[in-house]
Every structure is written in structure tokens, then in C-alpha cells.
Amino acid sequence: MNHIHVQMTKDGTHTLMSSLFDDSYHAHNGAMSESEYVYIESGFKSLSTDFARVSILELGFGSGMNAILTLKHALAQTGKIVKPIRFVSVEAYPVANEVIKQLNYKQHFSAELAALFDDLHQAPWNCDVEIIPGFVLHKVHGKLADYRAPEQTINLIYYDGFAPSKQPELWTQDNFDRLYPMMMPDGMLVSYCANGQFKRNLKTAGFKVRPHPGALGRREMTRAWKPC
């Protein structure tokens, strides 16, 4: 049984703890702060501006943190989605609604974003849902090993699985060999993880990996690109 419970982190936002994997969904030094740095600042906001649209593949929908932060920053400048976003998230172990209701994320958002956070979680699985004009969510209930997308249709990957020591099947060479053709040239993969074998696997698949400072005191995180 994957028992999940809520814990507070040092920035005042909650994370989730999984008994199945004996691991947390976010950094204990700051759940929202980590996601903001790794996936938004170092990923979403650093993506090449040459792309006409943003096509995101996320590993692990989890608490919905990365999805709502992506929406928040996409809306920040004008209050509406300027560049269309398709957000696909693959989740093998969806978090129960009664657990999601315990999270304090909505306290840190505007009323509009708080309502959108609920919309993200209430969206049905395995189909496209337009959360707001220009932002399409597709939550896939399944495993990454079974996920397929057409070649060159993804330009940003949030690789946010449990640690390699906790869920090693997510970090195998086969996963990155399959993901690489799905990505557009100059597409980016970002992850909190800086495990050496992970980076070697990315390079073997064809990615160009560059060092990047980690979040909240971590020495390093990973950013990788598909060469043009």
C-alpha cells in the first residue's frame, strides 16, 4: 500500500511522504522553493524562445506542484497564456483527493490560482483538458515505461521521479533512449537529481548535459538538451 502523508518543509509549504518508496516528493528545505528553482527558473523560463509553443512532459504529477507553478508563471506577465502550453504528466500512483486537500499550497496563491489548482486535480485522467485558454493538461495514469509520444513533439521534460536509490526503474538507460526521439531539437530536460549514472545515461542517449547549481544548498542539479 502506498500510504502518503503530509509534512511541512522549511519554506512553510507542504511536501508528501510516500511509505511505498520511503521518500519525499519535494526537498525538506523547501517544497515550493525547490520546484520554483529547478522546474520553473531553470527549466520553463530558460527554454528557448524560438519555440512557438511549449510542450511539457512531466514524470510524476504527484501534488500538482509543477503544473500549478507552470501556470502561475505563464500567467504572470499578462494574466493570460501568451504561448500555448500542453502539459502531459505521467503518474503511476495518483495521490488521493483527501490528501491533496490537506496541502497548504493554495494559501500561497491568489484566489484565481487556488481555483486553478483545484481544476488541475479534478481534471479526468487520460484525456486532454483545457484548464484555461492556451493551457491543455493531459494526466496519464500509468508508468513511464509504457508512455509513447510522436517523435519531436516535446520540448521540455520535468524529470521529477523519486530518487534513483528509491525507484531505480525510472533512471535506466532505456527510458532516456525512448525519450530522446520524442524531443524537439534544442528541447530541454531538467531534474533535481545530479546522480552520476543518470547524467551518463543522458549522454549515452544523445543529450548534451551541462552543470547547473542545485536548489536550496544542493551542489548540483541536471539540465540537458537535445542538440540542434
Side-chain angles (χ1 to χ4, degrees):
M1 180 179 179
N2 185 21
H3 181 262
I4 297 174
H5 64 273
V6 174
Q7 283 190 354
M8 185 63 74
T9 68
K10 290 182 181 179
D11 70 355
T13 59
H14 284 146
T15 189
L16 298 173
M17 284 294 302
S18 167
S19 62
L20 178 64
F21 297 103
D22 187 29
D23 203 3
S24 64
Y25 281 61
H26 311 97
H28 292 293
N29 279 340
M32 192 172 293
S33 300
E34 178 193 40
S35 291
E36 284 266 10
Y37 178 83
V38 174
Y39 299 103
I40 305 304
E41 295 296 331
S42 305
F44 181 71
K45 293 174 72 173
S46 299
L47 188 66
S48 171
T49 57
D50 292 340
F51 293 115
R53 59 184 59 241
V54 180
S55 179
I56 299 171
L57 174 64
E58 177 188 44
L59 172 58
F61 186 73
S63 66
M65 175 81 84
N66 293 334
I68 191 61
L69 290 179
T70 300
L71 253 177
K72 174 187 175 182
H73 286 273
L75 292 168
Q77 297 301 316
T78 65
K80 62 182 181 180
I81 303 294
V82 175
K83 185 178 289 189
I85 300 169
R86 177 175 170 80
F87 194 107
V88 177
S89 188
V90 180
E91 175 60 71
Y93 306 96
V95 180
N97 286 332
E98 54 264 31
V99 176
I100 295 300
K101 289 176 181 177
Q102 298 174 46
L103 295 170
N104 69 351
Y105 301 163
K106 293 195 290 184
Q107 299 172 20
H108 299 263
F109 296 140
S110 66
E112 178 191 13
L113 278 172
L116 290 174
F117 181 75
D118 288 335
D119 291 343
L120 292 170
H121 283 283
Q122 291 164 9
W125 292 82
N126 302 313
C127 63
D128 283 0
V129 180
E130 189 172 51
I131 302 298
I132 58 173
F135 188 98
V136 173
L137 174 69
H138 189 116
K139 297 187 296 187
V140 178
H141 185 189
K143 295 184 177 182
L144 179 64
D146 300 321
Y147 180 74
R148 299 291 186 277
E151 292 191 1
Q152 298 192 21
T153 54
I154 298 164
N155 51 28
L156 181 58
I157 294 178
Y158 295 164
Y159 211 83
D160 198 20
F162 289 114
S165 61
K166 304 294 185 178
Q167 203 175 8
E169 66 272 18
L170 295 181
W171 305 86
T172 62
Q173 185 67 59
D174 177 67
N175 286 318
F176 306 112
D177 289 343
R178 285 188 304 101
L179 289 172
Y180 187 83
M182 301 180 199
M183 295 193 71
M184 302 177 196
D186 208 25
M188 178 193 296
L189 179 149
V190 288
S191 178
Y192 70 91
C193 181
N195 174 275
Q197 188 60 54
F198 168 44
K199 292 185 285 186
R200 287 189 290 273
N201 288 346
L202 287 169
K203 291 175 182 176
T204 298
F207 289 94
K208 183 174 182 179
V209 181
R210 298 175 191 162
H212 193 73
L216 309 177
R218 285 179 180 259
R219 187 173 63 86
E220 194 177 329
M221 58 167 278
T222 296
R223 294 206 298 181
W225 285 262
K226 181 174 182 175
C228 292

